[in-house]
């Protein structure tokens, strides 16, 4: 596959790591999720990676009903590709985590490629008081959390989702996850060209630095040849710097408050759109073009926005 000419920007609007105490900008009410998603799309994100939250408490939730208030609104207001999470929970089974993707049949959904520690307990020490009762325990409990994505789980998810023709964002948090993906392709679960998200900087996964990015990319080249697409998601302060590097290496980029609350080191972002605008400006200043939603559909080989169930 020739070097991609346009860069696909994904924006991950809200997620499972951060809590309302950590930033007022993190959306958890349906109206705020919709508004921020629409603004991010207008700023240049062609893919919107979405989770849900309990609108009263801000707690992470995978309840499919909570997508209802905002999916149609986003679809009406933008042409962006909707990507639904199948990973965002510390307490639910994979079976439960795939329920929203099964119900709404989006163009894309995440597919987490291995089991691992997935922790953010050090964040608890940064705050003395919390907006909601659940937050402190939730953050601290991540110390003992195993993010479960066994081969059996992956096979079950892939098999149930297969009839929906959803393109997976294969989230690979370490080099071994690339080998897991290769194995799954060899046994026929996934077909080339796959779309790989290199996830860097999660406590439990590979660190976010340029040497590791080159290693991930070289390993992917070795395993998948030229027949794959890739993107980077670096957590925390590394988000924009690593996305900048990846865009120069022919990769696509993911930003968003799900993975970093910051616009630069030590400064909280005002919104998801602010991060999108920043990476877009950098990508364009460095000579690349940003893909429109239809160009993203072409690049990633998606089924089309008219074939979703919302
Ligand atoms: N926030 C990412 C590090 C998922 O939604 O499936 C993890 C994530 C998982 O995006
Ligand atoms: Zn996510």
């Amino acid at each position: 596959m020739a070097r991609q000419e346009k860069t696909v920007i994904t924006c991950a609007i809200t997620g499972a790591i951060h809590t309302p105490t950590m930033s007022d900008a993190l959306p958890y009410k349906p109206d705020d999720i919709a508004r921020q998603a629409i603004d991010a799309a207008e700023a240049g994100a062609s893919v919107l990676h979405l989770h849900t939250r309990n609108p009263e408490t801000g707690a992470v939730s995978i309840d499919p009903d909570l997508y209802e208030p905002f999916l149609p609104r986003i679809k009406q207001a933008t042409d962006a590709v909707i990507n639904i999470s199948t990973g965002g929970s510390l307490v639910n089974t994979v079976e439960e985590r795939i329920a929203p993707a099964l119900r709404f049949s989006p163009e894309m959904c995440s597919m987490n490629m291995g089991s691992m520690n997935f922790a953010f307990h050090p964040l608890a020490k940064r705050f003395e008081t919390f907006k909601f009762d659940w937050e402190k325990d939730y953050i601290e409990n991540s110390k003992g959390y195993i993010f479960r994505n066994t081969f059996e789980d992956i096979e079950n998810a892939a098999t149930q989702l297969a009839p929906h023709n959803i393109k997976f964002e294969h989230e690979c948090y370490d080099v071994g996850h690339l080998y897991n993906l290769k194995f799954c392709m060899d046994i026929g679960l996934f077909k080339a060209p796959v779309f790989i998200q290199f996830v860097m900087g999660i406590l439990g996964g590979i660190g976010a630095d340029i040497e590791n990015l080159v290693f991930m990319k070289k390993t992917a080249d070795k395993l998948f040849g030229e027949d794959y697409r890739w993107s980077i998601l670096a957590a925390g302060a590394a988000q924009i710097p690593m996305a900048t590097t990846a865009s120069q290496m022919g990769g696509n980029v993911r930003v968003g408050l799900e993975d970093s609350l910051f616009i630069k080191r030590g400064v909280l972002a005002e919104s998801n759109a602010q991060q999108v605008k920043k990476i877009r400006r950098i990508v364009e200043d460095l000579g690349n073009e940003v893909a429109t939603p239809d160009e993203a559909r072409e690049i990633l080989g998606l089924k089309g926005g008219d074939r979703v169930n919302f």
Side-chain angles (χ1 to χ4, degrees):
M1 200 169 274
R3 190 179 186 280
Q4 199 178 294
E5 280 168 18
K6 305 218 173 172
T7 305
V8 176
I9 300 179
T10 296
C11 187
I13 304 295
T14 189
I17 302 174
H18 299 121
T19 73
T21 291
M22 296 176 190
S23 170
D24 289 335
L26 185 75
Y28 60 88
K29 293 181 192 295
D31 278 358
D32 296 334
I33 292 174
R35 182 74 264 147
Q36 288 221 28
I38 293 163
D39 289 349
E42 283 169 1
S46 47
V47 179
L48 300 167
H49 172 100
L50 296 168
H51 292 235
T52 49
R53 283 178 177 261
N54 181 309
E56 263 81 54
T57 66
V60 172
S61 170
I62 50 116
D63 180 353
D65 288 347
L66 292 173
Y67 281 93
E68 295 278 5
F70 61 79
L71 283 181
R73 279 181 60 189
I74 298 170
K75 185 179 170 189
Q76 226 171 14
T78 79
D79 189 28
V81 173
I82 300 295
N83 171 335
I84 288 182
S85 171
T86 66
S89 165
L90 270 60
V91 290
N92 297 90
T93 61
V94 173
E95 199 66 33
E96 291 164 333
R97 283 166 23 200
I98 63 172
L102 285 173
R103 172 158 355 153
F104 297 107
S105 194
E107 289 182 87
M108 297 183 75
C109 72
S110 56
M111 179 66 70
N112 291 277
M113 293 312 299
S115 302
M116 58 188 282
N117 293 343
F118 189 127
F120 37 93
H121 56 284
L123 292 177
K125 293 199 184 74
R126 297 198 196 156
F127 303 93
E128 279 174 7
T129 53
F130 290 85
K131 277 186 201 161
F132 295 108
D133 290 346
W134 59 270
E135 293 185 70
K136 192 162 192 279
D137 283 352
Y138 176 79
I139 300 166
E140 284 175 346
N141 288 343
S142 71
K143 186 176 182 181
Y145 175 57
I146 300 170
F147 188 30
R148 186 189 149 138
N149 299 286
T150 63
F151 283 114
E152 189 172 53
D153 294 329
I154 294 169
E155 183 174 317
N156 284 341
T159 310
Q160 290 184 64
L161 290 164
H164 291 268
N165 192 17
I166 300 170
K167 184 78 177 188
F168 299 118
E169 174 195 13
H170 291 283
E171 302 212 9
C172 293
Y173 299 72
D174 216 324
V175 179
H177 293 183
L178 296 171
Y179 285 85
N180 293 353
L181 175 56
K182 171 75 171 130
F183 170 78
C184 291
M185 291 175 75
D186 288 345
I187 62 167
L189 282 184
F190 307 117
K191 284 195 184 59
V194 287
F195 176 54
I196 305 174
Q197 189 68 260
F198 297 157
V199 182
M200 309 188 78
I202 295 295
L203 185 54
I206 200 166
D209 64 46
I210 293 172
E211 268 188 356
N212 285 345
L213 171 57
V214 171
F215 184 40
M216 290 286 275
K217 170 75 168 61
K218 275 191 168 171
T219 306
D221 287 346
K222 185 167 70 185
L223 294 174
F224 309 111
E226 297 213 315
D227 208 7
Y228 76 101
R229 297 292 192 188
W230 67 281
S231 173
I232 189 168
L233 164 189
Q239 184 186 63
I240 299 274
M242 292 300 291
T244 302
T245 306
S247 73
Q248 288 294 291
M249 291 166 61
N252 302 290
V253 299
R254 172 169 142 177
V255 294
L257 300 179
E258 169 168 343
D259 306 314
S260 168
L261 295 174
F262 296 93
I263 192 67
K264 62 180 177 189
R265 194 169 285 280
V267 181
L268 287 175
E270 288 162 13
S271 65
N272 280 282
Q274 191 189 20
Q275 292 178 340
V276 174
K277 279 182 199 153
K278 180 163 179 173
I279 194 62
R280 180 185 189 155
R281 181 180 56 69
I282 293 170
V283 165
E284 289 178 345
D285 280 357
L286 294 177
N288 286 353
E289 279 179 59
V290 165
T292 64
D294 279 342
E295 288 165 345
R297 289 184 171 93
E298 179 78 35
I299 290 165
L300 301 175
L302 307 185
K303 64 181 176 179
D306 54 344
R307 297 187 52 209
V308 298
N309 195 15
F310 52 90

